[in-house]
Amino acid sequence: MQVIRDRAKLREATARLRAGGKRLGLVPTMGALHQGHLELVATARQAADAVAVSIFVNPLQFAAHEDLARYPRDEAGDLAKLAASGCDLVWMPDVATMYPPGAATLIEVAGPSEGFEGAARPGHFRGVATVCTKLFGQTGADVAVFGEKDWQQLQVVRRVVADLDMPIAIIGHPTVREADGLACSSRNQRMTPDQRALAPMLPAEMRRALTRIAPGAPHEAVLAEAVAALAAAGFVPDYLSLVQPDTLQPWTGGPGRLLAAARLGDVRLLDNMPLG
């Protein structure tokens, strides 16, 4: 497994991996890898001949008041996990390599970036779209795999790829969960033991609400009850909304996606589930 931090060496390495028409898969990450990330690597391996993983804590995704400095980092542990997973290449640029002095281009996305995380974290999806566009260009990957836990992010990336005619396929991998149902996330390790014990209530309330939503029937009251139950237990809910899966517009029937965000202490939990 190659670990590369220089753009020129990255071009050489990816050219070798793609020689002879071989397909390269990419798994973009910010490190602090868990089982969910490793399953993304496995999916990329099935879709391509070689797999690259990027590890870059992207400052453009964080607002001034957010937790960039506190974001968990474990370079040695991450590299050990990736080596054991069969990863071929790890791209680990620093901030100056990713955003050289004088860089002046950002990718702005409307549509699926509006509302929800886009409203709660202004500029967040601009950072996601910009860094993913750069990663796709830097690696020349044929396919990239993203977890469905960050459902809105996945739709934003798909929109950018479609709108900019990028020659890369985007694969969404179903949310990987802990044994108690909590979605795997690097931020889970920041919870206290009491918070971690309470956290599975979020997916449990989401599943309960989905079982009570009847086709064509009003669903707002069901979601309001779930929000009230979470708040009573100690969560600070941000939203619990049923939307159209691709556009994230309000659900009007047919396929739907239930999006959720809630805080426990200073940890913000995200989750989503399909209707039906």
Side-chain angles (χ1 to χ4, degrees):
M1 183 180 78
Q2 294 179 273
V3 179
I4 298 177
R5 304 173 193 267
D6 175 82
R7 281 186 293 176
K9 291 180 180 178
L10 176 68
R11 285 192 293 271
E12 295 172 0
T14 54
R16 287 194 298 271
L17 291 174
R18 301 182 72 209
K22 292 182 179 178
R23 289 168 56 81
L24 177 63
L26 172 67
V27 179
T29 83
M30 294 206 300
L33 304 184
H34 50 66
Q35 184 58 36
H37 293 113
L38 301 182
E39 293 200 18
L40 302 185
V41 174
T43 296
R45 174 65 68 187
Q46 294 173 355
D49 301 292
V51 177
V53 173
S54 63
I55 298 178
F56 178 66
V57 181
N58 179 27
L60 291 189
Q61 293 176 220
F62 293 80
H65 67 281
E66 291 184 322
D67 54 356
L68 173 61
R70 297 178 58 196
Y71 194 86
R73 293 164 171 84
D74 181 16
E75 180 175 317
D78 290 346
L79 293 178
K81 291 173 184 175
L82 291 175
S85 75
C87 176
D88 298 285
L89 183 154
V90 183
W91 173 223
M92 297 187 68
D94 60 15
V95 174
T97 299
M98 184 62 74
Y99 303 117
T105 302
L106 299 171
I107 306 296
E108 289 281 1
V109 191
S113 75
E114 297 172 342
F116 307 110
E117 293 308 289
R121 305 178 66 189
H124 172 69
F125 287 123
R126 178 176 59 227
V128 169
T130 300
V131 77
C132 286
T133 299
K134 291 177 71 70
L135 289 170
F136 298 161
Q138 290 166 349
T139 62
D142 300 282
V143 59
V145 184
F146 290 80
E148 290 185 353
K149 181 186 78 69
D150 297 298
W151 183 262
Q152 188 174 12
Q153 172 180 274
L154 175 59
Q155 306 318 310
V156 168
V157 171
R158 284 175 168 160
R159 187 72 267 160
V160 171
V161 166
D163 289 351
L164 299 183
D165 301 311
M166 295 183 189
I168 185 170
I170 304 300
I171 296 176
H173 187 285
T175 301
V176 179
R177 299 184 179 276
E178 305 285 357
D180 57 10
L182 183 65
C184 292
S185 173
S186 301
R187 287 186 169 93
N188 289 352
Q189 60 188 273
R190 287 176 41 202
M191 287 186 278
T192 67
D194 287 345
Q195 290 168 345
R196 179 61 187 83
L198 178 60
M201 183 179 175
L202 176 61
E205 284 295 325
M206 293 174 67
R207 285 192 296 271
R208 179 172 175 270
L210 286 168
T211 63
R212 298 175 60 208
I213 294 174
H219 60 278
E220 291 79 6
V222 172
L223 298 185
E225 289 180 20
V227 168
L230 291 167
F235 290 82
V236 180
D238 189 351
Y239 55 80
L240 185 64
S241 300
L242 188 60
V243 300
Q244 307 286 357
D246 299 335
T247 65
L248 276 67
Q249 293 299 302
W251 181 68
T252 56
R257 202 86 188 184
L258 183 60
L259 307 182
R263 287 189 178 275
L264 272 180
D266 65 351
V267 178
R268 194 158 186 270
L269 301 176
L270 298 183
D271 208 337
N272 70 88
M273 294 179 185
L275 177 65

